[in-house]
Amino acid sequence: MDQTPANHSLAYMLGRRAAPLFLKTDWIIKSLAGPEEDRLAAEIQMGTLLAQAYEQTVPSFKNNRLSGIAAKLTRCLTNKNRQHSFKLDQSGELNACALPGGFIYMSEPLFDLCGEDSDAAAFVLAHEIAHGIYGDAAAKLLTRSAVNGLFRFRTRGLSPPLRQLFAQLIEQGYSREKEFRADRFAAALTQAAGFDPLGGARLFAELAQREDDSTFGSYFSSHPSFKERIKHIKEKIG
């Protein structure tokens, strides 16, 4: 049975299991060209496969409270092209992620850290929704290195270089501007849905006190500093 060492990151595990899926679909070709309808269909196809790979690696489940928060957010979306899916995962780290096609995961430790502050949990979900809607999650898998890597290793099966390629792609953070853009979107969406957009600022303030926590992982290491993000949120909501 395939066992993944406990000290491997979620990015490594997902990349290792998801890599073969890219060889079985024409997702990259459709995503690089064609009408918007085809690109979205290809994104959902790939996201579905990635979500299956993710959940084979990390136990994930629906949560009624999380679903309730998410429902308030999605009702306020003007872009309803994606049928979003929201689940908690048992990664054991403080993290959240958006896969192409509207698949969003929030770790139990991060959800528990939000506690009764539904505004904070809503901000996290809205931030990840933004990455999906803006195409950040899909774009990360459509870089030149990803495309070149796929075709370079296409006939070699699940080779170690290919595993490493996808582990790196999934682990890479977004640019600072994309993170700030997602925060701005989250502030606007949470406010529209009746949440306090300062929930995000409260969560970041709490996270700033926990940067040495063993559950922190590498998720926030690629993001702007919590101080910068708090300032940016407050400026956005005036």
Side-chain angles (χ1 to χ4, degrees), residues 94-190:
L94 292 167
N95 59 36
C97 69
L99 299 180
F103 297 90
I104 292 173
Y105 298 87
M106 183 175 180
S107 72
E108 279 190 294
L110 185 56
F111 190 58
D112 291 344
L113 181 62
C114 292
E116 296 302 314
D117 192 347
S118 295
D119 303 315
F123 191 93
V124 173
L125 297 183
H127 179 95
E128 297 303 331
I129 288 172
H131 282 314
I133 287 178
Y134 286 125
D136 298 337
K140 187 162 56 175
L141 298 170
L142 286 172
T143 62
R144 181 178 297 276
S145 61
V147 175
N148 289 344
L150 275 175
F151 290 107
R152 185 180 309 123
F153 300 118
R154 187 180 184 88
T155 60
R156 304 183 191 179
L158 184 55
S159 63
L162 186 56
R163 289 179 182 175
Q164 183 180 14
L165 168 68
F166 281 99
Q168 290 172 346
L169 286 172
I170 293 169
E171 194 166 46
Q172 286 171 356
Y174 303 111
S175 68
R176 287 170 55 85
E177 180 48 41
K178 286 182 179 179
E179 292 296 350
F180 284 136
R181 180 178 66 180
D183 281 349
R184 292 193 297 270
F185 180 99
L189 180 58
T190 51

Side-chain angles (χ1 to χ4, degrees), residues 87-101:
K87 290 184 178 181
L88 291 181
D89 70 51
Q90 296 179 329
S91 65
E93 295 183 347
L94 292 167
N95 59 36
C97 69
L99 299 180

